[in-house]
Amino acid sequence: MILTLFDGAIPSPLLFVNAPNEGAVSFWRTIEPYLTFLFSLSVFLIAFLIVLENRNPSRTVAWLIILNFLPIVGFIFYILLGRNVRKRKLFRNKFISNAEVIKKLETAPAGFLNESDFWQYPHLASKRRLLNLMVNVSQSPFTLKNRSKILTNGDETFRQMIQDMSEAKDHIHFQFYIIRHDTTGQQFKQVLIDKAREGVKVRVIYDGVGSVRLDKRYIAELREAGVEVVTFFPVILPFLNNKLNYRNHRKIVIIDGKIGFVGGLNIGDEYLGKDTRFGFWRDSHVRLEGESVYLLQNIFLKDWFFVTEENIEGDRYYPALTEAPGEELIQIASSGPDSDWESIWQMYFSIIATAQEKIYITSPYFIPDESISMALKTAALSGLDVRLLLPSRPDHHTVFWASRSYFQELLEAGVRFYLYQPGFVHAKILLVDGVVASIGTANMDIRSFQHNFEVNAVIYNSNSVYKLEQDFINDLQDSKELTLEVYKRRPWHHRILESIARLLSPLL
């Protein structure tokens, strides 16, 4: 006999109960009102706490709507993703590590620029607001003795990484959100194993959610060869894990403290365009030499300390530069739930707000908050050339449709949208005035701004800025511009999907 328990607007947490006899039925009928009351009370208390947290109003409303219409599902998802965990306590080890490593950087053989130094560069006079902001919120100094090289797509990036890793003499630090155990992953694994057996110190960090499908044998083989492998926030019991919402989205490689890589590519065959679902994969990475690598090293060592509580020290990780590889002004901007400020979010806003001629953005996920949206609309209405390059096909459907819900208001302001046609565009690039470029791991969405650990390289007035702009122009040739007239003629069911996705977007 099956007994269905519904009483009033809020269903009981026990939907179906097997009742072999009348005594059992009577028992469940007796306790059902109490269970319903307790569940209703818990939903009410969660709603009350959400309001008291003084969140972004749209985020608060989104949670309240879900709790009202889907109380059981909303309750579970709030416990899983919505709780505003006391981040200071959760990430206290990262704060300690940050202070310790910054002290090391201050005594390292680096010629970091302070605020009074970079005014000697007249071509950056228009970016004083941006430079001031980056000094104040990022806790990351400007570096001058640098050389950068833009790597376009997976073939070029992986080939350069493997070549540099193969030549490592002292250490390799290897950190990615996603590592696959496919052909590409096996190739990198073999390089890491070979170098570890040669006596090179190899450390690997992978994210517990991004690499949740990584084969345990893959990890075991690395460890057997002497590679130190750790997981950032492993997820064993997702529904009981208050860390699930905080992911390490960084993609970093550091070789001997002299060469660094950062950008949009993870480790897997799909980044070479071998996934038939997406086809060609358009992405970008940057190779760095010089003082900026010290800052990437700082970020990796903070993450390593947080996961392992091992405080790694030694000049070997910040080797002196025998000569300057170049003179490019570069800053490494990092952000995450351990930061006092959403520095990459603020950096994006300031770069856009200080633009004088043109703003070019490439991002696979585009869910702007009110400040970014207003900055883009204001720039376009002021006569600036504002262009966004986005995917024409989804890899995450909710984010895809939520992104499109912002198109009309931006199109009406004069922002131009281009949808990439050959495959999937995954690069995360912001270009302004041909003077400043940001390339790294942060998407232009709330998840990257507030929840994920991210890292971007900000490059000023160099050949790399020019190369990124040329890549952007080439990508426009492979894209189809979406006009306001065409967008308004979209099917009615697209409008519904966009509205629902936008409503959920504050929770993504």
Side-chain angles (χ1 to χ4, degrees), residues 97-159:
S97 177
N98 184 64
E100 293 175 351
V101 178
I102 287 294
K103 288 180 181 178
K104 294 182 178 65
L105 283 173
E106 290 173 348
T107 60
F112 295 148
L113 302 179
N114 59 41
E115 187 174 349
S116 61
D117 293 328
F118 48 63
W119 303 136
Q120 61 186 292
Y121 304 100
H123 57 274
L124 294 176
S126 64
K127 301 303 174 189
R128 291 191 176 187
R129 283 177 55 198
L130 172 64
L131 297 172
N132 274 329
L133 176 77
M134 296 305 294
V135 167
N136 291 329
V137 305
S138 69
Q139 297 183 352
S140 177
F142 287 82
T143 62
L144 178 60
K145 297 177 182 178
N146 298 293
R147 178 169 58 197
S148 64
K149 177 183 179 182
I150 300 302
L151 303 169
T152 305
N153 299 324
D155 282 331
E156 185 178 2
T157 302
F158 292 160
R159 184 168 58 249

Side-chain angles (χ1 to χ4, degrees), residues 312-375:
I312 298 173
E313 298 182 296
D315 294 338
R316 61 193 286 192
Y317 300 109
Y318 302 97
L321 297 176
T322 55
E323 62 181 46
E327 288 196 0
E328 293 184 38
L329 188 63
I330 296 177
Q331 189 180 37
I332 303 298
S334 65
S335 66
D338 59 335
S339 304
D340 289 331
W341 304 98
E342 293 90 357
S343 48
I344 290 181
W345 187 2
Q346 292 170 316
M347 176 195 73
Y348 278 173
F349 173 80
S350 187
I351 290 176
I352 294 168
T354 57
Q356 295 180 323
E357 297 178 12
K358 54 191 176 183
I359 302 168
Y360 296 158
I361 297 171
T362 303
S363 182
Y365 315 118
F366 177 73
I367 303 179
D369 74 312
E370 286 297 326
S371 63
I372 297 291
S373 180
M374 182 59 68

Side-chain angles (χ1 to χ4, degrees), residues 41-169:
L41 180 63
S42 66
V43 171
F44 172 79
L45 290 175
I46 286 177
F48 184 68
L49 290 173
I50 291 172
V51 173
L52 288 182
E53 282 177 0
N54 291 323
R55 296 168 177 255
N56 181 293
S58 61
R59 187 175 175 86
T60 299
V61 170
W63 276 117
L64 292 176
I65 290 173
I66 289 178
L67 285 171
N68 183 59
F69 288 98
L70 299 169
I72 296 177
V73 174
F75 178 86
I76 293 172
F77 272 89
Y78 181 79
I79 295 298
L80 179 63
L81 299 175
R83 290 175 294 170
N84 192 11
V85 179
R86 290 176 294 175
K87 294 184 286 188
R88 279 283 185 175
K89 181 178 179 180
L90 186 60
F91 300 111
R92 61 181 179 273
N93 284 348
K94 288 182 70 65
F95 285 108
I96 294 170
S97 177
N98 184 64
E100 293 175 351
V101 178
I102 287 294
K103 288 180 181 178
K104 294 182 178 65
L105 283 173
E106 290 173 348
T107 60
F112 295 148
L113 302 179
N114 59 41
E115 187 174 349
S116 61
D117 293 328
F118 48 63
W119 303 136
Q120 61 186 292
Y121 304 100
H123 57 274
L124 294 176
S126 64
K127 301 303 174 189
R128 291 191 176 187
R129 283 177 55 198
L130 172 64
L131 297 172
N132 274 329
L133 176 77
M134 296 305 294
V135 167
N136 291 329
V137 305
S138 69
Q139 297 183 352
S140 177
F142 287 82
T143 62
L144 178 60
K145 297 177 182 178
N146 298 293
R147 178 169 58 197
S148 64
K149 177 183 179 182
I150 300 302
L151 303 169
T152 305
N153 299 324
D155 282 331
E156 185 178 2
T157 302
F158 292 160
R159 184 168 58 249
Q160 184 71 64
M161 277 185 188
I162 289 172
Q163 177 183 328
D164 289 335
M165 289 166 59
S166 299
E167 297 172 2
K169 304 298 183 184

Side-chain angles (χ1 to χ4, degrees), residues 5 11 17 32 35 39 49 57 59 155 174 219 405 498:
L5 301 177
V17 177
E32 179 196 352
L35 293 175
F39 182 77
L49 290 173
R59 187 175 175 86
D155 282 331
F174 192 83
I219 301 169
S405 72
E498 290 169 6

